[in-house]
Structure formats: C-alpha cells, structure tokens
Amino acid sequence: MLKYKIITYGCQMNVHQSEKIAGILNNLKFENTFSTENADIIVFNTCCIRDNAEQRAYGNIGALKPLKKQKRNLTVVVCGCMTQQDGAAEKLRAKFPFVNIILGTHNIDKIGDAITQYLQKKRPITLIEDTSRLCEGTPELRSSGTNAWIDIMYGCNNFCTYCIVPYVRGREISRPKNVIISDIKKALEDGFKEITLLGQNVNSYKDSTDNSDFASLLRDIDKISGKFRVRFMTSHPKDYNSEITDIIKNSDKICNNIHLPVQSGSNSVLKAMNRRYTKEKYLQIIDEIRAKIPDCGITSDIMIGFPGETDQDFYDTVDLVKKADFTNAFTFVYSVRQGTPAAKMIQVDPIIKQKRITELVKIQNEISAKQSLKAVGNVYEVLCEDFSEKGENLFCGRTDNGKLVTFEGTRDDIGKFLKIKIDSAHASALFGTKTEEHTDEKR
C-alpha cells in the first residue's frame, strides 16, 4: 500500500483543503503517514498569502532533494495558491525539477487523477486553471478534533492593495445554502460538536439560488436541532451588519465570538489599503456588538508597517486597539507580495516596523491579560478539545466567547461540554477546575 504525507502551510482554509486532499487519497486506498522518509507520495499544500509561509514551502521542497535521489519512485506534489501566481509553476520546474506534479488552487480536487496518471506514465504533470469553480462532493478526512471546517464560499472580490488572494484564489463564489446545511448535518451526525464556517469574507456570502445572505445562512443553521457550536471566519468590517449581531445574540448555538480584522487604525492607511471603512465606523461596529452582547469575544488582525505608515498612523492604530479592547489580536508586520499594488508603494524601514510591532504587541498583551483576570472566579461552559501541552492530565477547550481554558481531566472529557470554574489567569490563558459535565455526548 502506498503511503502519503501532506505538509500544509497557511490558514485554516488550507488546513481544511488538506483534509479534502487526504479524503481523496484515502479513497484511492493510500495510507497516511507522518514520516517523510516512509512516504511514497509527499504533497505540499502551499500558501502565498504571507511571505514567510511561501519561503518555508520553498525551503522544505528544496530539502527534499536528497530523499528524492535516494527514493527514485517518490512522488512529489506541489499544490495550493503559491502555484497559482504568475510564473510560479515555471519557477518551480526550473528550481526543483524533481517535483512531479504541480496543481493550482482551483484543481486540488483533481489530485487523485493526477497522481494516478503520473504513477502510470511517469511524466510530469502541471495543471493550473484561472477560473474559480465549485468542487462539490469531494471526500474529506477530518483531522481537527471536535471541530469541523465547512467552506461556505471561495475567493475574494475586495482587492485590498496588500493582498494577493483575489489573484491566486479567484473571485468570490458562494456555495448553495442547502448544500452547506447538508454538510453541517453530516458533520454533526459524525459526532463533531463545533462547526467553523470558512470564507475569505463570510459577510459577503450570497446564495445564487435564492439570493440569501450570510445572516440568512446563520439563521437557518441555528434551526438545526442538537447541541453544538458555530463559529465563522473571516469577517470584513465593510460588510458586517447589525442583523448578524442580533442573530448571534438570540442564538444558543452561534458563539459570542467574532473575528473582525481591522488591519489599521489610521484612516489614511485604511484608504491606501482599499479597506472601504474608517476607524470611526469600525469602532461604531465594536460598540454596537458590545452593547448587545456584553461578553462577546472580539478578536482582530492588525498589520504594522504598511507602505507610507507614519508615526501618527501607528499611534492612531494604538488608539484604536485601546478603545476596541480586543480579547486578542494577531499582529504582524507587512511583507511585500509581488503582484499587488502595495508592492510598488514606498516601503517603511524594517527597523521602524520592528519597533512598532514590539510596542503594539506589548499593549495588546496587557489588554488580553486584563480581560483574562476578569474571568477568574466565573464558571463557563467549555468544549473539551484535546490534551494540553502544559502538563500531564491537563486538557484544554474554549469558552463560548473564545477564551482558551486549561483544566485537569481525563481522555473521556474530549468532545464533552463541561462546566469549568476559572481559578487563575496568565496573560491570555485561563486555568480552571471541572465542576460538572453539561452533557455526556462525545465524539
């Protein structure tokens, strides 16, 4: 039996994409292995959204050359959005001639046919299509514990000036609502307790069959019977509306946890980014969410060092972070993505970018720590997800509003909703004690 290994780079959407790749290969009776040396097929599911993910992929592909010389029958596949860039396939072929199959992000559902064809004919295969399309019926081998990722749409229409997604993943295309609902019900029947809806901008979801929007989709998901949680990512502030907040507020399934990337607190930078909202509009959204859902966990993405960012622009961002009072924020330094408008703009000195990111991380860590302290003494419902790396007999899970909690438990707790009393907090991490089981259902 041939063995395969999948190496994944990038975001949750790529993680779910790798689950689909694994499902296809398992249907071909291939066996998954975690050992590179024992693998007969190695698949690199790449990402080019951030430069570090792309550079790691190139480095790891290059490091495979000695093994390929040793194992002449090793099949090497490179797929994902890195290959979708202009000239990327040619660059891969020139730099790594031992790569056997190159697939674009729109062709991953064809990976089984490509591998079968290559094993028969031993001829290199390159398949890169430019058009976004729906790929329904792809088998999945889920590997994310209690959580099931569900795609609701692909691609993006926003064309933020720093982002390469619309160029490599294509324009927005939404999946039919009835198919999404069916996928969710299947995941619940399989024992998953949490559903995470995925899309580059879930707020712009639009079902082509009946023109229903994201709020309508959430409303229909909320009607599904059973005990489970729903999260979604990622939201774009320009399309976020009050109806979504109202549905979350009135639902016992959709989590009080919203990831709303702001990217910058400077109106001039937001305009240069083509984000199509202002600092004031963003804070208005946050205020409305908190007024309706006081315990809502709000997280964000913040980019430092966008081309042309001044000291005042940076301190406008600091001001927004302090006012927004995020539960947590993913902060990162802008990196050039060739093929985007921002790549041609005047860049900020790397030393200045590093100084700013260090300051912002310190500020956000202090905010997160204060929020964590507020949770001490309270009892939360936590879905136990997995073992914790913090110590023996320790397990972890998240509250409804997204806070990670570590507690002492047993293997049988995984997949259960538990009542956890928070005893202490350290930075953004919470530590608690199990008080009772909310339900005896588990995966």
Side-chain angles (χ1 to χ4, degrees), residues 143-146 383-389 394-397 405 407 410-411 413-415:
S143 58
S144 298
T146 58
L383 173 59
C384 182
E385 298 172 4
D386 206 346
F387 296 96
S388 170
E389 298 179 354
L394 292 181
F395 293 77
C396 62
V405 181
F407 54 92
T410 68
R411 181 187 292 270
D413 289 330
I414 297 177

Side-chain angles (χ1 to χ4, degrees), residues 46 189 202 261 272:
T46 64
E189 289 171 2
V202 293

Side-chain angles (χ1 to χ4, degrees), residues 63-272:
L64 208 61
K65 185 176 181 180
L67 182 62
K68 179 70 173 179
K69 283 185 176 180
Q70 179 185 335
K71 296 178 67 172
R72 305 291 296 183
N73 290 326
L74 175 65
T75 301
V76 181
V77 183
V78 181
C79 60
C81 63
M82 189 180 87
T83 67
Q84 201 76 36
Q85 300 174 89
D86 288 341
E90 292 79 4
K91 179 181 177 181
L92 276 167
R93 285 269 176 245
K95 194 169 185 178
F96 309 114
F98 57 85
V99 171
N100 308 115
I101 301 171
I102 299 174
L103 300 176
T105 190
H106 306 308
N107 309 107
I108 287 182
D109 61 316
K110 298 180 180 179
I111 191 170
D113 293 338
I115 290 175
T116 300
Q117 181 181 333
Y118 174 76
L119 291 176
Q120 291 172 349
K121 299 182 178 180
K122 296 294 182 180
R123 294 176 184 169
I125 295 173
T126 299
L127 183 57
I128 309 286
E129 292 182 12
D130 294 330
T131 306
S132 299
R133 60 192 180 88
L134 289 176
C135 306
E136 300 295 355
T138 304
E140 300 166 332
L141 184 63
R142 297 192 182 276
S143 58
S144 298
T146 58
N147 175 72
W149 308 106
I150 304 287
D151 290 313
I152 69 169
M153 61 189 301
Y154 306 106
C156 184
N157 289 348
N158 290 313
F159 288 92
C160 299
T161 57
Y162 55 82
C163 185
I164 201 169
V165 167
Y167 306 98
V168 296
R169 290 192 179 273
R171 304 302 292 272
E172 285 179 0
I173 179 169
S174 297
R175 300 180 67 210
K177 184 167 62 174
N178 66 314
V179 177
I180 296 169
I181 297 295
S182 178
D183 283 354
I184 292 173
K185 289 180 177 179
K186 175 64 166 58
L188 296 175
E189 289 171 2
D190 289 341
F192 291 91
K193 300 300 181 189
E194 186 165 289
I195 304 296
T196 302
L197 309 177
L198 293 176
Q200 294 291 341
N201 175 15
V202 293
N203 297 338
S204 65
Y205 172 84
K206 190 73 69 174
D207 185 354
S208 60
T209 61
D210 64 2
N211 212 36
S212 57
D213 59 9
F214 184 57
S216 174
L217 174 63
L218 289 180
R219 193 177 293 109
D220 285 356
I221 293 173
D222 189 52
K223 295 175 184 176
I224 300 174
S225 61
K227 172 73 176 177
F228 65 96
R229 286 178 172 177
V230 179
R231 302 185 193 273
F232 55 86
M233 62 190 321
T234 295
S235 292
H236 196 301
K238 78 176 179 65
D239 297 314
Y240 191 89
N241 59 62
S242 300
E243 191 178 2
I244 296 172
T245 305
D246 292 337
I247 293 169
I248 296 172
K249 175 185 176 181
N250 296 316
S251 172
D252 61 354
K253 294 182 174 67
I254 303 169
C255 291
N256 296 340
N257 187 199
I258 300 171
H259 185 65
L260 198 64
V262 67
Q263 304 301 356
S264 175
S266 162
N267 285 338
S268 61
V269 171
L270 289 171
K271 184 177 181 179

Side-chain angles (χ1 to χ4, degrees), residues 355-414:
K355 178 178 178 292
R356 289 174 183 170
I357 193 75
T358 301
E359 183 177 347
L360 186 66
V361 167
K362 181 176 181 293
I363 292 169
Q364 179 57 53
N365 284 346
E366 291 172 353
I367 293 171
S368 297
K370 288 178 181 177
Q371 287 209 9
S372 294
L373 285 174
K374 293 178 183 178
V376 175
N378 296 330
V379 176
Y380 294 92
E381 183 179 79
V382 172
L383 173 59
C384 182
E385 298 172 4
D386 206 346
F387 296 96
S388 170
E389 298 179 354
K390 297 183 183 296
E392 189 175 357
N393 298 325
L394 292 181
F395 293 77
C396 62
R398 294 190 183 275
T399 63
D400 175 86
N401 60 5
K403 294 181 183 295
L404 184 65
V405 181
T406 300
F407 54 92
E408 189 171 326
T410 68
R411 181 187 292 270
D412 288 340
D413 289 330
I414 297 177

